[in-house]
Amino acid sequence: MTLFLPQNSLSQSYREILIGVGEDPDREGLQDTPMRAAKAMQYLCHGYEQSVDEIVNGALFASDNDEMVIVDDIELYSLCEHHMLPFIGKAHVAYIPTGKVLGLSKIARIVDMFARRLQIQENLTREIAEAVQRVTQAAGVAVVIEAQHMCMMMRGVEKQNSTMNTSVMLGAFRDSSNTRQEFLQLIGRSK
C-alpha cells in the first residue's frame, strides 16, 4: 500500500520549489535534481508505509526473564514536521519483560519506522515507548532520545552544540524511581 504521490508528481513539486527559490531547474546541475529529491524524500519518509505488526512479524519469544532489557545507542534520522529539516541522534530503549521478549532487531526497526515520518522528537519518543509497550505487554518501558536538530543549527538561532533530550517512562519506570535510576545509570545519563 503506497501513500506517496507518484514520483513524477512529487518530482514536479520539487521542480516548483527550485523555481521558487530562484533557480533554473533546467540548468545542467539541476536537471535530475527534482527526481532525485523525490526519491530521497520517499525514502526518508518510508515509515508511513510500515506498521508495528509488520515489523514485529511474530518475533516475540517466551522467556522467564523479568529483568530489564536495554537496547541503547540506536542511531536515528528523522525530519522535523515544522521545517522538514533533519534531526539526528540516538535512542535508548528499555523494557521489563513479563513472559515474552522481543527479537533484538525489532526494537531498532520500531525506532526507524517512527523516525522515518515527519515528526517532533517529543512525539517520536512517546510513539516508540507506546509501541514497545503494546507489543510486549511489558511491566514497564523507558525511552530516551537525544538528538541535534538542523532547524536549530542551520537556521533560526544557529546553535551548533545544542542537543535536545526527551524521555518517556511507562509502567515500572514511571512508578519506581529505583527502576528509572537503574535505566538512566545503565545508559550513562545519571551520575
Side-chain angles (χ1 to χ4, degrees):
M1 174 178 93
T2 298
L3 301 175
F4 295 119
L5 286 172
Q7 264 184 3
N8 58 352
S9 180
L10 192 53
S11 175
Q12 184 59 37
S13 297
Y14 275 106
R15 181 175 171 78
E16 294 300 318
I17 290 170
L18 289 173
I19 293 167
V21 298
E23 265 294 353
D24 173 8
D26 293 319
R27 78 171 168 86
E28 183 181 352
L30 294 177
Q31 289 174 356
D32 295 329
T33 297
M35 185 57 75
R36 284 192 300 262
K39 288 178 183 177
M41 186 57 73
Q42 286 180 325
Y43 179 78
L44 294 173
C45 293
H46 72 263
Y48 290 115
E49 295 188 326
Q50 299 176 304
S51 74
V52 173
D53 293 335
E54 290 170 343
I55 285 172
V56 171
N57 194 26
L60 275 170
F61 307 101
S63 174
D64 293 334
N65 180 42
D66 62 358
E67 297 293 329
M68 191 180 306
V69 174
I70 300 173
V71 183
D72 65 348
D73 292 334
I74 303 167
E75 65 269 8
L76 65 85
Y77 309 92
S78 194
L79 296 174
C80 84
E81 65 186 40
H82 298 144
H83 302 98
M84 295 177 65
L85 289 173
F87 64 95
I88 300 165
K90 54 188 172 180
H92 312 286
V93 180
Y95 69 101
I96 300 173
T98 56
K100 292 185 179 179
V101 293
L102 184 58
L104 179 60
S105 71
K106 303 307 182 182
I107 292 175
R109 290 181 192 281
I110 288 170
V111 169
D112 283 346
M113 182 193 80
F114 287 114
R116 296 302 187 159
R117 299 175 180 186
L118 299 179
Q119 279 287 8
I120 60 171
Q121 185 175 327
E122 297 90 334
N123 291 350
L124 175 60
T125 310
R126 176 155 303 281
E127 288 171 339
I128 294 166
E130 289 174 350
V132 172
Q133 175 66 47
R134 181 178 66 78
V135 168
T136 63
Q137 297 299 303
V141 175
V143 177
V144 169
I145 294 179
E146 48 192 281
Q148 292 189 297
H149 291 250
M150 296 305 119
C151 59
M152 192 166 159
M153 296 170 72
M154 295 175 65
R155 53 157 306 280
V157 295
E158 296 184 21
K159 298 301 176 200
Q160 304 307 305
N161 297 307
S162 63
T163 301
M164 181 177 185
N165 294 280
T166 52
S167 69
V168 170
M169 306 288 167
L170 303 176
F173 291 94
R174 186 184 240 346
D175 300 337
S176 168
S177 60
N178 288 340
T179 302
R180 185 170 50 253
Q181 191 62 30
E182 178 184 353
F183 167 64
L184 293 172
Q185 283 178 332
L186 288 169
I187 66 167
R189 302 297 297 162
S190 177
K191 295 180 177 32

